[in-house]
Amino acid sequence: IKDVVAYLDKLDIRVDAHCIGDAAVRLFLDAVEHARQVNGPNGPRHQSTHTTWVHPEDRARFKELNVIPEFSPIFWFPSPASVGLKTLLNDDQVASVFPIAEVLAAGGRGVIGTDWPVTPLNFTWVGLEALVTRANPWGDLPGTWGTPIPLEQAIQMLTLNGAWAMELENETGSIETGKSAD
């Protein structure tokens, strides 16, 4: 994977890797780190998709390597995967799932993904609620998933950070003269 990511990085092609476990996240971050060493630090903004678990030692690496941690809060509820995880994991594991607050605190620029077509596109508001409360919006799955983040941070993930992730931050993502306000 290191050679593939380095090759694509050299061609200025962004790599989006689905990283569910902390070993997958570390493997991808190691590959991007290798690409940065081989090609220099200014390559494309690669993305870790879903970013379900992140080892505490890897949380600051998103900022260091200019890697986008994408989280998909609308995937959490309602989802057979969520129900299955709740039955398989202990409370500590559930508390550490989707460590958004921790990655943001370490300087990562997290973004919100819709996981479309797995989930409907109109679930953006549900995802926003899940980020802020970390609870099931429908109340049919007790407890919370990880640490909630303030509404302001959640909105930034959805707007400014989303535009940054698409490398469109000079065109959209904030309401400013000369930018699209969509």
Side-chain angles (χ1 to χ4, degrees), residues 88-181:
L88 296 172
L89 304 175
N90 63 43
D91 290 341
D92 290 338
Q93 290 169 315
V94 169
S96 69
V97 72
F98 300 107
I100 298 166
E102 295 78 3
V103 170
L104 295 177
R109 286 181 90 163
V111 298
I112 299 171
T114 63
D115 206 35
W116 180 86
V118 177
T119 55
L121 283 174
N122 65 351
F123 269 30
T124 302
W125 296 113
V126 174
L128 191 64
E129 180 181 343
L131 281 170
V132 174
T133 66
R134 297 306 293 266
N136 183 333
W138 292 276
D140 57 357
L141 196 61
T144 59
W145 290 73
T147 307
I149 64 171
L151 178 60
E152 294 79 12
Q153 273 189 316
I155 291 171
Q156 182 173 340
M157 289 177 68
L158 196 62
T159 57
L160 293 169
N161 292 4
W164 177 81
M166 294 183 297
E167 299 187 21
L168 295 173
E169 66 271 20
N170 295 324
E171 299 170 36
T172 190
S174 60
I175 300 174
E176 296 178 50
T177 301
K179 285 188 173 184
S180 166

Side-chain angles (χ1 to χ4, degrees), residues 1-17 28 31-32 35-36 39-40 42-48 65-68 165-167:
I1 188 171
K2 286 182 178 182
D3 292 338
V4 170
V5 172
Y7 174 74
L8 294 170
D9 183 87
K10 185 175 182 172
L11 295 175
D12 203 32
I13 296 173
R14 180 170 119 174
V15 177
D16 287 10
F28 182 59
V32 173
R36 301 290 190 232
N39 301 325
N42 299 320
R45 296 171 185 161
H46 302 294
Q47 179 171 292
S48 169
L65 298 169
N66 201 25
V67 171
I68 304 159
M166 294 183 297
E167 299 187 21

